Amino acid sequence: MTRVLFVCTGNVHRSVLAERLLAARLPPGSAVRPESAGTQARPWSGMEASTRAVLEELGGDGSGFAARPLTAQLVAGAALVLGLAHEHREAAVRLAPTALRRCFTLKEFVRLAAGGVDTVRGGEGTATMHGDIPDGQVPPVVDGFDVVVAATAGRRGATAPVPPAEDDISDPWRRPRSVLYGCAREIDDTVSTLARLLGDGASL
């Protein structure tokens, strides 16, 4: 299994939605395993009621969830760590500095990967990458999920920066349901793109 870890603050809204919505958008049999944790989470079973309602409205499964705090072990064991805001990415890196090149915000990773990876052909276990490739030439094909992550990390310093807020998804904690729903839709749009970028993860 290829673990993708989403991180927010309390592990009650944003990271939960990202975990379960990505699971819903991946193809059946995918080896990608979405998980989540929170930088200030308290362990408890069950999903927050408003989160579950919005999640299920968007087609996700709210059953069997347990919130958990972010740990160095969780970061070290994930193939990809995606914070819902910069502070979450930075917290993951502080816990496991060697994971730096596998830690992004969710929106940052999708933005960079969409600019550097055409597709991941999971059925063949390959990723197609492109850069300055002349028209009519076939981009080089390279193996594996890890290569996609490494290539995306390489683009982090090679593309024009964006304002930090553009790569953050705002916390809907204690805000009206409409804000939570808008947050969930933003996350769903982003993880749907992520699922397409990863393709069929069964062979990654």
Side-chain angles (χ1 to χ4, degrees), residues 20-170:
R20 295 304 176 94
L21 288 169
L22 177 59
R25 305 306 176 229
L26 289 167
S30 174
V32 175
R33 178 181 174 183
E35 300 181 350
S36 64
T39 58
Q40 299 177 30
R42 298 179 180 179
W44 63 286
S45 296
M47 190 175 293
E48 203 275 340
S50 62
T51 305
R52 181 165 184 165
V54 168
L55 171 66
E56 292 180 346
E57 185 174 340
L58 293 174
D61 181 3
S63 64
F65 176 76
R68 58 183 180 173
L70 183 68
T71 65
Q73 290 75 21
L74 287 174
V75 175
L80 179 61
V81 180
L82 299 173
L84 275 293
H86 280 77
E87 65 192 86
H88 308 125
R89 182 192 67 192
E90 292 164 3
V93 172
R94 285 196 298 271
L95 286 170
T98 58
L100 172 63
R101 290 180 64 81
R102 294 182 280 112
C103 296
F104 304 81
T105 70
L106 169 60
K107 291 176 71 174
E108 174 193 27
F109 183 83
V110 169
R111 173 173 57 81
L112 293 175
V117 177
D118 284 331
T119 185
V120 176
R121 296 202 302 275
E124 300 174 24
T126 60
T128 302
M129 321 231 326
H130 69 80
D132 296 324
I133 299 170
D135 291 343
Q137 292 191 17
V138 178
V141 176
V142 292
D143 291 333
F145 184 97
D146 290 344
V147 174
V148 176
V149 175
T152 304
R155 289 182 61 82
R156 188 149 43 190
T159 58
V162 301
E166 288 190 16
D167 280 336
D168 290 352
I169 294 178
S170 299

